[in-house]
Each structure stands twice: as C-alpha cells, then as structure tokens.
Amino acid sequence: MSEQMADPKVDTGLADPAARRALTSGFDAVPGAGKPDPILVVDNIVRQFGGMTAVDVQHLEVQRGLITALIGPNGAGKTTFFNLITGFDKPTTAGKGAHWAFDGRTLDKTSASSVAQAGMVRTFQLTKALSAMTVIDNMMLGAQNQAGENLLKSMFRGTWAKQEKEIEAKADELLARFKLFEKKNDYAGSLSGGQRKLLEMARALMSDPKMIMLDEPMAGVNPALTQSLLGHIQNLRDEGMTVLFVEHDMHVVRHISDWVAVMAEGRLVAEGAADTVMSDPAVIDAYLGAHHDTDLGDDALLTDEALEEIAEEVAAEDAEREAEEEAEGLR
Amino acid sequence: MRRGVAGLILALLLAPVLALISSGPASAVDTLCLPGPDKACIAGTIRTEDGPLADVKLTVTDEAGTATEVTTSETGKWNVQVEKEGPYVVKVDESTLPKDLVVDTGEVTVAAKFGVTKPALLTIRTADYSASTSKFDELVQSTVNGLRLGLLLALASVGLSLIYGTTGLSNFAHAEQVTLGGMLGYLLINQHGLGLWIGGLVVVILCAFTGWFQDRVLWQPLRRRGLGLTQMMIVTIGLSLALQYVYQYTVGARTVRVLQDNPSVREFGPVTITNQSIVAMVISVIVLAGVGYALLRTRIGRATRAVSDNPALASASGIDTDRVIRLVWTVAMGLAGLSGLLYALVTNGIKWDSGLQILLLLFAAVTLGGLGTAFGALIGAIIIGLVVELSPVLGMPGDFKYATALLILILLLLVRPQGLLGKPQRVG
Amino acid sequence: MDTIQFILNGMMREALSPQTAAVAIAVIGLNIHFGFTGLLNMGQSGFMLLGAYGFAISISNGLPMILGILFGFGAAFIFALVLGAPTLKLRGDYLAIVTISAAEIIRYVGRSALLVDFTGSAQGIPGSQYTTGFRNLSFFGTGSFTLIPFNYTDVADGAAWVRIIGWIVAIAVIVLIVMRFRSGNAFKGLLQSAGMAGLLVFGVLLLFFLFPVPYQSTGVSGWWVRFVAWGLALLCTLVVFLLVRSPWGRLLRGIREDEDAIRSLGKNVFSIKMQALIIGGLFGALGGMVYVLSSSVQPDSMGRSLTFFCYTALLLGGAATIFGPVLGSVLFFAGRIGIKYTAAAYVPDSIMSNQQTEQFSYIVVGVALMLIVIFRPQGILGNKRELRFNV
C-alpha cells in the first residue's frame, strides 16, 4: 500500500468481518433501511422515459466503509439509477423532491464532474478506457487538481512538471498493484477486456475517491481475472473505501458484498445481508418475474453454473439494451 | 426579383448590394468610375419594377454646393467620380423621368470615401404599381411564397432527415443533389427539347438512380468498412465540393433556366402567383403525402421508420437494413432532384452554387424539426420557408432573410435542442 | 523543360504566398478543434472573417493597429462563446450545423447594404484602407529581391541536368523530412533536433535555389508580409506544440475519445471544450487578419468553401499532428495550382478551356478529400492508431 493511497483513508478496522457484521446488524433489513453511518443518502429519485418509469427509489442509504451490491433482474433500472446519482442523467423529479447527498454534501444539482470531484467516482458497464491513448495517459487523466490542466499554465512546463512527476509515480504504483505496469506505454485499445476493467478501476482510484461505484465490474472478464478483481475490491474496502457495485453474478455478490440492495422494475424491493436477501420473497418474485424457468427459491438450483447462466443471460440482454441505446445515438 | 423582397421594394438601385445570395456573388456595376487612393465614386441604377430607366438626369452636389450632373445609361446605371471625401447629395431630376412615375426617394445623401464606390439608393416606381398594397396583402402574398419555398425545401429535407435517421449521416452533398435536379432539367428540357412532363419524370428517375448508385458504390462499401460517421460526413463534403465544380465545369457559372419563356401569372385576390408555382406546390403536396402514406402504412415504410428509430433492434428483428438504406438513398435523391427541378422552375433558375444556400435552409429545417424525424423535417421546412419569406415583411432587412432563419435555428437549440419533434437525449 | 519549370515556379509562388500562411494558421486552429478535441467546427471561415473585419474596420476608422488586432480577437472570442454555449453540451452534429450557419450569417451581415459604411458590403474593404500601418513597420527597405542570390541559372547556365538533379535531391530531402516527422522523434535529443533543423534549412534553401521567385521587399504582397505571415504560422505551431504536450492537451485528447469517461473523472468537460473552441477560434481570427494583409476583406472569399479547404488541408497534412496543418496547407495550395497549370499546359483547349482548368483543379480537390478520408484518414504525418474520429 503506497503512502498516497493510504493517506486519505482512515483505518476503520473494517477489514475484520465481525466489525462489518456489527455495522449491519443493528437495524431491520427492510428496503430503505437507515444505516448507522451512511455515506450516501438518496431520497425520492424518479426517472421516467416517456410513459415508462425506469427508476423510482424512495429512500436508500449506503453504509460507509462497506461493499454494497445493487442487484436486480434485467431492466430493473440499476444502471439508470447509477447514472442519476452520478450526474450523468437528471431525475424527472429534479427540483420536485429529488434529493441526494454524499458525505454530507447535497448533490441535487451537481454535474457529473462535480460529483466525481466530491469523491464519488464511477466506472461504466461498457468500459470507457480511452483506447487511442496509452495506459499511462489514461491513468494520468484520473488525477485531480492538476495545474497543467489550466489553459494558462499549460504552456509553461515549469508550472506543472513537478506535479506531473508525482502523479506519474502514483500512477506507476497503482499500475503495479493492478498488474498493468508492463503495459504502461501500450495503447489502452490493445488491452484485453478484463485489463481494461482493471485500468478503469485504477484510473478511478487516481482521484483518491471516498466511494467507488462499479457498474458490472465482472461483465466479460475471464474467471482468473475475476478472482483478482474481487481481491482488489475487497482490499479497497479493507483500506477504508466504500464500494457500491452493480452486479448480476450472484456468486460474486454472495462472495464479497457486506450488504445487498435489490431493485426490480425501478423500485428498491429488498435489502439485507447477502445470504438472507436471496431468500426474501420479494427478491424471488422479482427474479421469477423475469425468468419463469428458474427457481431461485430452490437452493439446489442455486449452483454457480445455474446462476452464472442467468447472469450471462441477463448480461447479454443488458448489453443488447445498451447497444440499442448507443445506436439510438443518445450520446 | 420581387419574390421575397416583395411589395415595398419598388425600385432597385445598385444591383450588387441588393442582389440576394440566390443570384450569386453580384458582379460589380459596369462602371467606368474606378475609385483610387484619392478618388471616390458614387454610383447607382435608376429603375422601376418594370425595368431600368435610361437618360434620367441626376445632380450630385458636394458640401460646398458644387453640382455635377450625370445621365443614366441604357441599363439605367450612372456614376460620378469625386475628388473629395465627405457628404454628397444625390438628387434625381424629376422632369427627365417618363410620365406616370412616382418618386419615393428622390434625394439621398451619400458619404464618399476614397478607394470605394458608394451606392446611392433612389426609389422610383410606376404610379399604378401596388401603391395601395396593404401590409395585410403583402403578408398574404409572402405567406404563399413562404409555403411554396417550404414545400420545396420539405421535398429535399424529408430525404435528408431519412438518411440521417437510418444511417446517422449528415449529408453535406444533399443540396448538390437538389442542384442536380435543376441542372438536369436545364440540360434535358431546355437544351435537348424534351417535354416538360416527360423531361421532369426523366430527371427525377435519373436523380433517384444517382442515389441508388451512390449507395451501391460509395456509402454501402464505406459502411461495411466501418468508416466513422464523422469521416463519412467529410466524404460528403468532398463530394459536395467536387459536384459543385462539375456543374460549373459543364454548365458554367451562370444561372440557367429550365424553361425559356416567361410563365403566365394568375391572381387570387391579393396573391399573384405563376401557374408553374401552383403546379409545383400541388406536385409537392401530392408527393409529400405519398411519402407520408408510405412511411405510415406500407411495410417498407414501417421498416424504414423502425431502422430510423433503432437500427440494431430493427436488424435483430429481421429487417434487411441495407435494403432499407438503399431505398432511402434512392428515394431521398429522387425527392431532392424533384425539389431542385421545381425550384429552378418557380424561381429565376438554378446555378452551380445554388445548393450552398439551400443546404443551410435544409439543415435548419431538419434540425428544427428534430434530427432524423421525417415528419419533423416536413414541419421544419414549412416553418423555415415561411420565416425566410415573411421576415422582410415583418421588418427584417431583405438581406437578412436567410440569416433570420438560421438565427431562429440557433435560438431554438438553446431552449429545445432535440428540435420540435425529436426525442430528448438520454445518456446511455 | 521550361513548361515544367514554369509549373513548379507557380507552385512555389503559391506555397510561399501569405494567404497560404494565413490558411495554415486557421488550420492550426481547426486542428485544435477537430484534430485534438474532436469538435466539428464547420465555421472556421466565420472566425477568419470576424478577425479580418475587426482588424480592417478598426484601422480604416483610424484606430491604431494594435487595437485592430485586439478587436479582431475580441470578435472571435465572443463568437466562440455564443456558438459554444448552446451546442457544446449536445451531440457533435449540432456544433457543425450551428457553426456553419453562424459563419454564413456573418457573411450575409457583412455583405449587407445596411453596413456599407463599415464593411463595404459585397465589395468589401480594400487593403489600401488598413495595410499602410503594417507596411510601415517593415524593416526590409524598398526594391525587390529573390531570397537567396544564388540559383540554378548560376550553375552551368541552368542546364537541364542541373535542374533534374536538383529536383531529385529536393524530392529525396522532402521524403526524408516527412519520414523523420512520421517516426515521431524528429525533435528528440539535441543531435537529432540539430540534424532535423539542418535538413529543414537545407531543404528550404534548395527549393529557393531551384525555384527563384522575386518579390518586392515591402510592397502590397512582398517579402515583408510573407515574412510576417510565415513567422506567425511557425509561432502558432510552437504554441500548439506547447499546449498539446501539457496535461491540458491530454484532456483534449481524452475528450475527443470519450467525453463521459473524462466527466466521470471529475473534469469539467464543457469548460475545456469551450477553451478549445475559443483558442482555435482565435487562431482562426489571426489567420483571417493575415489573409487580408496582402489583399482586401472580401466576405465572399471567406465562405464555406474556405472552411472546406481548411479541412482538406488539415486531413492532408494529418489531423492531431503538430506540423500537419502547415504541411497540409502548403501541399494543398501548391498542389491545386500544380494541377491547374498542368492541365492548362498539357490538355488542349478544345478539351478543357483555360477557365475550366480552374474548376477542374477544384473537382480534384473534392475527390482528393474523399479519397484521403477513406483511404488515409491519418493524412501524411498522422498516426493511424491514435487518430480515430469520434462523434
């Protein structure tokens, strides 16, 4: 762990599973439950596309220092929800009761860039590694408050050369940690899908975030890399960072999340610890609604293969939807 | 000439200044006065709406009161060279005018400047010429003109919008296809003596063929290569440049007309309109209605709209997108050709660079209606047509009528970027 | 032989012309927009025209030249703000449509009879009204000269073999220079830089040796205006080099690739795009001012076609490269004249009249633009892997 990395974080002692359990046991596991020390509080976020309500979350709190998973069947509005709270989309209820705050700072009218500056950094489902730039350039872009990004100073190397060196050193350490150091001067486009996910995560960490939001970090990643990704995520938590991630892979969710929130049809339908929430009738309903042929209630069927199949199916559907939206030229 | 500038401009002085962009970069007055470092020129043309007036006397008086007399040439032109900068009063000698003329502005002051030719605008009109034209009548006349322009623009912009919708391409060469319609009309009907109807039909078929051909040899292969949209857009710019100069190479830089003889005119109350314009408008309405019907009711039309809405989904649901796009190119170019042919018929003719100016109106129309929506383009085109023709009546200087349309576009983007019928954008 | 010499001399004159330098400066600005940031500015001629108007109108109304320059820049600055505000948050096509429209509005307004006292309407503002002050700054004296006193006619009376050898060497030098640039380390290390600089100087001297072109020292279109125009073009190239190697330049390239990624990293994308639009626009305005120094302010000469030529020059030289704009502009103008003269010299009049050669050269320009974009989008100097158009 480098100095810079450890620096902004406080050792919360949450590397200890018992301490984490203690944090999640003092309240009822109901949708919208209040947490002891929430870092993110969301109220009354509604997003409608035409007549369809994609997201309608009345209340959600995310506990500081834990890994929270946001799961739900295809079309549950998870990614849209992510877009809304990170400033990439505007709630229909904006100015009409929508309210969310991160670490005590109200974000109701904040742009995507300011959200990131506040310390809440996200990644994307379809990785947004900048393929025509080198890996190191990708990393350097992640650092905050760079003097050289000021137009007036940029022409004078002296004003930013020192900072640039420090940033590069930090980037090198992160790259080494994510096993990308050898690729430092390669174009990001030449990396594999999994490496791009790692790069995107490492890039997000360059900004020293308080909370990192991962949109399907495991989608399209091979099993070996998945293990290493999971390890990285847990390490981040152990170092005191809050993690919120969207995932379809139940196996992953069960494995690493301290808390699970379930969305279905845009609403928050359940919350709880990973093992208990799976048996929540609302969750089974939600998944059964989407996949009649799968009995999630039957533990025997909850084999990893079966779950992975579902996850793959869902991911494929999601990717298709994504591609459609992309094709519609929404950006 | 009175198209658009309409009504109140009763005499045109100094062609270069008032010549609208449609008549191209105006050539200078054929003046013998050459301004120099210590010489200034004052010049103008005396004419009524019926034509230039020869042998009219004018006096040009400087500050000191020294008067110079000039007489207009056969083309109504006159000019004076002066040796001093400063204000000069130009006055027309009304006794030298033919009878039955009314002088609206008989005296004007011009500030002469070394090295330049300054225009002096004097307005003279025939006594019976719409002296009584009311503001309302003008409004009606301009509205009809605006509708006419709007319908012609709609023919072209529906195609532009469909191409954008189905392929995502902003086709900068679309307006050159409009010009092509007029040019082919000139070559086939005027030069080779084909009948108007037969010739027109052949023109539209040829233009549609260019669309089919373009997609076959250019756009489809480029799509298959995976060429980016921006790159394709620059390809259309290259095509547009090349086509413009091909027209200039083959036809020349002059304005050409499809029919030589002057069209007969009808009057409906305050509205004066040529027979050709009526026919053009009727054809436009019929064709647009046909396109609309096809889009809404036929299988291929629904497929087109599906591709336009969501190419990936349409492709996934078994629609042959390549076929749809090929058809869209064919129809769009046919419509553009028709639009150009009608444009050349109802206005004074068409020129190698007419497309340059039409293109902006098309973009304005398409963006106004919402990029990629065919019906939005229709509405946008009508609005743009009306704005262009009505803004001079509503007090905008005639020179600025195209600028007004573009300004409205920019303002609209501020409040409703998706256009009138477009869907709001989402972040994926 | 003489015909070829005549054609090449013509190309040399066109390549050296101050207007070529002016367009190169505008293309440098366009490179910031399109090449580095991915902004589809289709109205660079509007920025140029505004710069030219600001400059010429101020001076012809008696203001000092420095104020004229400031007004030219000010006009372009405001233009960029006004255009960027509504469009930089939208998809790229909107910026294209709005900039091309706005540039045309500027031209229509400039042509308007209502503003004849300021803009001279369609006839424009003659150079004599604003260039005197600029020419008075010249320290080149009077008379005329060719750049180097020694040329091919001094060797063996300008025999054919001298010229042919000279041409072959010149081509070899140019190819060598381009290859060094393409390798990307033309100016890395002291030795390489010195070698490169030497090669460049040698190349230029060789060209002047082979194609001697005499001009007036200070006249309307003499060496003085050429000196200033090309000096400015090189200065602009240096500024762009400094800008794009910085973290700010890195941001631009990031935005070109994926705005959302940059936004998610906490950068104010809108503000950076606006900065890029303004900076590129100021280069455009400077280009406009230089453009009119040796001629007059003619609104119709700065219309859409000029923007399209700028794009052709940029893509020819290589978008997102440092020297691409200058190289592209020189090749574009010299190449067009070369085509025109060649057609005039070798195609009989019965097939192509003299006037048609001009149009023919523009047809070639259009087709060349299409071919470059399709087959070599990175241009001569560009890096194919780095260059990806993105909207």
Side-chain angles (χ1 to χ4, degrees):
Chain A
M1 193 57 244
S2 76
E3 261 179 42
Q4 283 102 331
M5 281 309 303
D7 198 2
K9 276 130 213 135
V10 194
D11 183 11
T12 47
L14 288 176
D16 174 16
R20 299 204 297 271
R21 254 195 308 278
L23 265 181
T24 56
S25 56
F27 54 90
D28 287 341
V30 294
K35 311 287 186 320
D37 180 16
I39 191 170
L40 175 69
V41 181
V42 177
D43 278 302
N44 190 24
I45 289 206
V46 180
R47 179 69 168 101
Q48 287 165 329
F49 293 120
M52 195 193 86
T53 303
V55 168
D56 180 0
V57 171
Q58 287 310 312
H59 186 77
L60 174 69
E61 293 184 9
V62 176
Q63 169 61 32
R64 187 189 305 271
L66 295 185
I67 298 179
T68 306
L70 184 61
I71 66 168
N74 174 36
K78 304 178 297 291
T79 295
T80 310
F81 180 67
F82 250 45
N83 286 342
L84 288 168
I85 55 179
T86 49
F88 279 86
D89 197 358
K90 272 205 176 69
T92 317
T93 44
K96 288 175 280 180
H99 175 79
W100 68 108
F102 175 75
D103 207 16
R105 183 175 159 187
T106 301
L107 295 182
D108 297 7
K109 280 180 191 157
T110 318
S111 67
S113 56
S114 315
V115 168
Q117 278 165 17
M120 189 159 96
V121 176
R122 72 170 294 183
T123 66
F124 294 86
Q125 187 180 1
L126 294 179
T127 325
K128 287 190 187 292
L130 307 167
S131 2
M133 296 176 82
T134 59
V135 168
I136 185 70
D137 272 352
N138 263 279
M139 292 294 289
M140 306 283 275
L141 276 169
Q144 298 295 306
N145 301 322
Q146 297 189 42
E149 288 183 355
N150 179 317
L151 175 60
L152 298 175
K153 291 183 187 163
S154 65
M155 277 179 63
F156 308 101
R157 188 173 205 144
T159 58
W160 47 264
K162 186 161 163 281
Q163 195 191 17
E164 187 86 343
K165 271 212 175 94
E166 290 165 9
I167 295 172
E168 189 169 350
K170 179 171 161 187
D172 285 350
E173 279 179 44
L174 274 169
L175 285 177
R177 178 174 168 187
F178 284 87
K179 303 206 168 50
L180 287 170
F181 190 72
E182 295 71 36
K183 304 271 183 188
K184 185 178 169 183
N185 293 315
D186 291 5
Y187 282 98
S190 68
L191 301 182
S192 74
Q195 285 173 323
R196 286 186 215 188
K197 291 259 178 202
L198 284 173
L199 174 60
E200 204 184 8
M201 204 188 285
R203 189 176 66 191
L205 292 176
M206 282 295 288
S207 64
D208 299 322
K210 293 175 194 148
M211 176 161 114
I212 185 161
M213 304 177 62
L214 308 169
D215 197 349
E216 306 230 2
M218 316 304 160
V221 179
N222 71 46
L225 258 177
T226 304
Q227 280 313 314
S228 117
L229 259 170
L230 291 180
H232 287 308
I233 294 174
Q234 280 172 318
N235 285 341
L236 289 176
R237 186 248 340 259
D238 294 348
E239 286 152 17
M241 193 174 300
T242 313
V243 179
L244 175 66
F245 73 104
V246 166
E247 190 51 70
H248 285 114
D249 189 335
M250 301 294 175
H251 183 61
V252 168
V253 171
R254 257 216 290 227
H255 229 77
I256 66 162
S257 53
D258 303 307
W259 193 253
V260 177
V262 187
M263 279 181 81
E265 289 169 2
R267 292 167 188 280
L268 198 61
V269 294
E271 277 194 59
D275 29 4
T276 55
V277 83
M278 300 286 180
S279 48
D280 188 314
V283 179
I284 295 166
D285 264 5
Y287 272 86
L288 280 180
H291 300 274
H292 318 266
D293 50 346
T294 320
D295 185 0
L296 277 174
D298 186 348
D299 246 344
L301 272 179
L302 273 178
T303 59
D304 288 345
E305 286 88 341
L307 285 169
E308 254 159 39
E309 231 175 81
I310 298 171
E312 265 166 34
E313 206 178 319
V314 171
E317 280 169 18
D318 252 17
E320 196 179 297
R321 184 172 47 87
E322 197 84 9
E324 286 160 13
E325 287 179 1
E326 199 93 341
E328 257 177 82
L330 301 168
R331 263 263 2 102
Chain B
M1 204 54 226
R2 49 179 288 271
R3 172 183 74 91
V5 187
L8 277 186
I9 295 189
L10 303 165
L12 273 182
L13 293 161
L14 197 80
V17 183
L18 284 184
L20 294 167
I21 324 300
S22 58
S23 46
S27 56
V29 189
D30 62 299
T31 170
L32 295 170
C33 175
L34 288 172
D38 54 354
K39 289 193 181 81
C41 291
I42 302 172
T45 308
I46 300 289
R47 59 178 300 164
T48 68
E49 69 283 357
D50 287 342
L53 298 175
D55 302 323
V56 178
K57 285 206 169 78
L58 299 107
T59 50
V60 179
T61 319
D62 68 7
E63 273 182 304
T66 323
T68 321
E69 203 160 276
V70 282
T71 312
T72 59
S73 70
E74 272 184 25
T75 52
K77 288 172 181 163
W78 60 271
N79 62 65
V80 182
Q81 191 181 62
V82 295
E83 313 277 328
K84 256 180 20 194
E85 292 193 324
Y88 286 80
V89 177
V90 181
K91 193 168 186 304
V92 65
D93 182 350
E94 294 187 25
S95 65
T96 59
L97 287 172
K99 283 180 182 169
D100 295 332
L101 289 185
V102 179
V103 180
D104 278 342
T105 314
E107 191 176 308
V108 66
T109 308
V110 179
K113 211 168 179 184
F114 288 149
V116 282
T117 300
K118 285 283 169 128
L121 281 92
L122 299 168
T123 46
I124 298 164
R125 59 181 164 84
T126 46
D128 59 342
Y129 179 73
S130 54
S132 57
T133 304
S134 68
K135 198 84 183 165
F136 176 77
D137 289 355
E138 266 172 56
L139 218 59
V140 175
Q141 173 75 53
S142 295
T143 308
V144 173
N145 288 351
L147 272 177
R148 183 183 68 183
L149 179 62
L151 284 168
L152 296 186
L153 288 176
L155 281 177
S157 56
V158 165
L160 183 62
S161 194
L162 280 174
I163 290 176
Y164 183 88
T166 48
T167 64
L169 180 67
S170 304
N171 182 14
F172 274 68
H174 205 84
E176 271 57 54
Q177 296 285 340
V178 175
T179 316
L180 181 68
M183 289 284 169
L184 285 176
Y186 160 75
L187 289 176
L188 292 178
I189 298 166
N190 189 335
Q191 298 294 95
H192 286 89
L194 242 61
L196 182 57
W197 290 98
I198 303 280
L201 196 64
V202 174
V203 166
V204 173
I205 291 172
L206 280 177
C207 285
F209 172 76
T210 63
W212 180 91
F213 183 71
Q214 261 181 56
D215 190 54
R216 177 73 189 75
V217 303
L218 192 60
W219 307 119
Q220 191 186 36
L222 290 187
R223 282 197 301 278
R224 296 232 166 113
R225 271 175 84 108
L227 203 71
L229 283 178
T230 310
Q231 278 160 294
M232 287 236 237
M233 194 181 98
I234 298 174
V235 175
T236 67
I237 290 177
L239 181 64
S240 139
L241 268 180
L243 283 177
Q244 274 171 37
Y245 286 98
V246 167
Y247 301 149
Q248 204 186 350
Y249 187 101
T250 48
V251 177
R254 65 188 198 281
T255 303
V256 294
R257 301 185 58 168
V258 175
L259 290 180
Q260 292 294 22
D261 41 338
N262 279 325
S264 44
V265 171
R266 276 168 195 259
E267 290 193 23
F268 301 95
V271 179
T272 312
I273 190 165
T274 62
N275 284 335
Q276 289 173 2
S277 294
I278 298 173
V279 176
M281 286 167 80
V282 170
I283 292 177
S284 305
V285 170
I286 292 173
V287 171
L288 285 170
V291 172
Y293 176 83
L295 279 176
L296 290 174
R297 292 272 181 270
T298 65
R299 213 180 117 71
I300 190 78
R302 277 196 295 266
T304 306
R305 282 191 303 145
V307 173
S308 197
D309 273 354
N310 191 333
L313 188 67
S315 181
S317 54
I319 294 174
D320 182 353
T321 46
D322 268 337
R323 222 185 106 221
V324 168
I325 292 172
R326 178 72 49 84
L327 182 76
V328 164
W329 272 100
T330 313
V331 171
M333 294 305 143
L335 289 176
L338 176 64
S339 165
L341 180 67
L342 296 179
Y343 182 89
L345 276 170
V346 303
T347 62
N348 285 328
I350 202 140
K351 207 161 149 263
W352 66 282
D353 64 350
S354 299
L356 276 178
Q357 169 206 343
I358 297 171
L359 180 70
L360 285 189
L361 298 183
L362 292 183
F363 273 149
V366 170
T367 319
L368 201 64
L371 280 177
T373 57
F375 295 104
L378 179 66
I379 294 171
I382 304 279
I383 292 176
I384 291 294
L386 286 174
V387 166
V388 167
E389 296 293 358
L390 281 175
S391 62
V393 184
L394 300 175
M396 210 56 192
D399 312 22
F400 289 168
K401 59 183 194 171
Y402 295 108
T404 318
L406 301 178
L407 201 63
I408 285 180
L409 166 71
I410 293 176
L411 292 180
L412 181 95
L413 283 180
L414 273 171
V415 289
R416 199 180 157 80
Q418 71 270 32
L420 296 175
L421 295 192
K423 282 180 289 188
Q425 293 187 51
R426 271 193 278 163
V427 178
Chain C
M1 197 70 196
D2 283 339
T3 319
I4 298 176
Q5 182 76 42
F6 171 78
I7 292 170
L8 291 174
N9 276 349
M11 289 170 71
M12 181 74 177
R13 266 195 298 276
E14 190 74 5
L16 275 183
S17 129
Q19 299 206 328
T20 303
V23 172
I25 294 172
V27 175
I28 288 170
L30 188 64
N31 194 23
I32 293 187
H33 293 152
F34 178 73
F36 290 108
T37 323
L39 297 176
L40 273 173
N41 170 20
M42 286 285 157
Q44 190 68 340
S45 63
F47 284 100
M48 294 176 76
L49 189 55
L50 274 178
Y53 270 143
F55 180 73
I57 291 173
S58 314
I59 295 175
S60 59
N61 283 296
L63 293 177
M65 196 160 85
I66 184 77
L67 275 182
I69 296 171
L70 287 181
F71 275 122
F73 281 137
F77 181 82
I78 294 168
F79 191 56
L81 279 183
V82 169
L83 294 189
T87 53
L88 287 180
K89 284 184 175 160
L90 306 175
R91 206 169 38 201
D93 316 47
Y94 286 102
L95 182 69
I97 291 170
V98 166
T99 44
I100 197 173
S101 304
E104 286 302 292
I105 292 180
I106 302 282
R107 196 170 64 88
Y108 288 158
V109 171
R111 287 175 53 101
S112 165
L114 297 177
L115 296 176
V116 68
D117 287 340
F118 295 100
T119 62
S121 73
Q123 297 184 348
I125 309 170
S128 57
Q129 287 194 15
Y130 57 86
T131 54
T132 323
F134 168 75
R135 279 206 302 282
N136 289 343
L137 289 177
S138 166
F139 46 81
F140 278 26
T142 51
S144 68
F145 60 93
T146 54
L147 199 64
I148 56 173
F150 180 71
N151 62 49
Y152 71 93
T153 51
D154 298 323
V155 179
D157 283 333
W161 63 268
V162 175
R163 286 188 260 174
I164 289 174
I165 291 176
W167 295 344
I168 292 170
V169 175
I171 290 169
V173 168
I174 290 169
V175 168
L176 195 63
I177 290 174
V178 166
M179 278 168 59
R180 291 295 294 281
F181 271 130
R182 283 183 51 75
S183 72
N185 41 18
F187 287 105
K188 269 187 193 141
L190 200 62
L191 205 65
Q192 289 211 332
S193 301
M196 193 69 198
L199 204 58
L200 279 172
V201 170
F202 175 69
V204 171
L205 290 180
L206 184 65
L207 285 177
F208 280 109
F209 170 80
L210 292 170
F211 314 111
V213 277
Y215 290 109
Q216 287 181 307
S217 305
T218 305
V220 174
S221 179
W223 283 113
W224 168 239
V225 59
R226 280 175 173 70
F227 171 76
V228 171
W230 284 107
L232 285 172
L234 292 181
L235 185 69
C236 292
T237 304
L238 178 70
V239 168
V240 168
F241 167 72
L242 291 175
L243 282 175
V244 300
R245 70 160 183 182
S246 74
W248 186 76
R250 188 165 61 209
L251 268 180
L252 295 192
R253 283 177 285 137
I255 289 172
R256 180 185 68 197
E257 263 214 70
D258 195 331
E259 271 180 41
D260 280 339
I262 302 302
R263 209 169 274 137
S264 79
L265 295 172
K267 317 287 182 187
N268 189 341
V269 169
F270 177 77
S271 142
I272 295 158
K273 281 163 90 174
M274 185 63 98
Q275 289 170 8
L277 187 66
I278 290 170
I279 292 286
L282 293 183
F283 280 121
L286 181 63
M289 294 183 224
V290 175
Y291 195 83
V292 298
L293 271 183
S294 60
S295 58
S296 57
V297 185
Q298 284 280 354
D300 288 334
S301 73
M302 291 192 227
R304 254 164 308 185
S305 302
L306 187 58
T307 303
F308 296 164
F309 296 156
C310 286
Y311 267 90
T312 313
L314 176 62
L315 290 163
L316 180 63
T321 62
I322 302 289
F323 292 95
V326 171
L327 179 71
S329 305
V330 169
L331 287 182
F332 173 81
F333 285 102
R336 193 189 74 80
I337 283 294
I339 293 165
K340 186 184 157 182
Y341 282 12
T342 311
Y346 294 108
V347 181
D349 267 7
S350 55
I351 298 175
M352 198 186 287
S353 74
N354 230 345
Q355 211 190 350
Q356 283 176 325
T357 58
E358 173 91 4
Q359 289 135 23
F360 173 71
S361 71
Y362 283 115
I363 297 175
V364 175
V365 165
V367 174
L369 177 58
M370 291 164 72
L371 295 179
I372 294 170
V373 177
I374 295 172
F375 295 108
R376 205 180 160 81
Q378 74 272 36
I380 294 174
L381 295 180
N383 175 342
K384 191 165 190 178
R385 293 177 71 190
E386 195 201 309
L387 191 82
R388 245 193 26 195
F389 297 98
N390 212 4
V391 164

